[in-house]
Amino acid sequence: ITKVYLIVGIPGENKDTIEKTKDFIRQADPDEYTLFTMIPLPGSDIWNNREKYNVKFITQDYNEFYNIAGQGDGGMTIETDSYTVDELKEMREDLKNFLSKRRWRGDTQGYFKKIKWR
C-alpha cells in the first residue's frame, strides 16, 4: 500500500504546478493520500527569510496556524508573489476535488486491525 503526503501552497505554487501534481498522482497511482496546506511556523526558514521566499503573512493569529489533513481551511496564513489567499483556496479545493474522485485503496495504518487485536 502506498500513500502520498501532499502540501499545497509552497512558495512558487500556481495552477500549473497543481496540474503537474495531478499528473504525478495519475502516474504514481497511490492507494491513499493526505493533503496539507503549507504553514510556515516560527523558526522555519520561510518564517525567518520571508523576503527570500516572497512571502507575506496575512495573519499572525496562531489560531489560524493549524492544519487538519483534508478538513477545513486551516493554514491560510500567507500569500506569495505567485498566489493570493483566494487563489490558494481555489488551488487547494481543486486538488482536493481531484483527489476525492480517486479510489481509496487499503489502509496503511491498519487502525481497525490493531484495535480488534487488542
Side-chain angles (χ1 to χ4, degrees), residues 7-13 18 36-39 78 80 83 88 91:
I7 301 173
V8 65
I10 293 173
E13 186 114 67
I18 295 295
F36 296 96
T37 304
M38 200 279 298
I39 303 172
I78 64 169
T80 71
Y83 63 78
L88 176 56
M91 290 188 299

Side-chain angles (χ1 to χ4, degrees), residues 59-110:
T59 184
Q60 297 239 341
D61 176 359
Y62 289 111
N63 290 321
E64 298 298 322
F65 281 67
Y66 71 93
N67 199 338
I68 300 171
Q71 306 295 319
D73 291 331
M76 301 296 171
T77 60
I78 64 169
E79 291 184 341
T80 71
D81 59 348
S82 61
Y83 63 78
T84 65
V85 161
D86 288 336
E87 290 169 329
L88 176 56
K89 286 179 182 180
E90 287 176 23
M91 290 188 299
R92 181 179 173 19
E93 196 61 29
D94 178 43
L95 189 53
K96 194 166 100 174
N97 287 337
F98 169 78
L99 292 168
S100 69
K101 292 176 184 167
R102 298 189 53 81
R103 201 178 78 193
W104 186 278
R105 304 180 308 252
D107 182 11
T108 56
Q109 296 296 318

Side-chain angles (χ1 to χ4, degrees), residues 8-68:
V8 65
I10 293 173
E13 186 114 67
N14 57 44
K15 291 180 182 180
D16 291 336
T17 60
I18 295 295
E19 291 305 316
K20 288 179 182 177
T21 299
K22 290 179 189 177
D23 289 342
F24 166 76
I25 295 298
R26 286 182 195 103
Q27 291 174 17
D29 193 28
D31 300 306
E32 300 178 7
Y33 64 87
T34 297
L35 177 62
F36 296 96
T37 304
M38 200 279 298
I39 303 172
L41 297 174
S44 68
D45 196 53
I46 294 173
W47 181 279
N48 293 334
N49 299 291
R50 299 168 196 187
E51 307 80 31
K52 175 182 171 183
Y53 295 98
N54 297 312
V55 168
K56 173 186 161 193
F57 281 81
I58 58 163
T59 184
Q60 297 239 341
D61 176 359
Y62 289 111
N63 290 321
E64 298 298 322
F65 281 67
Y66 71 93
N67 199 338
I68 300 171

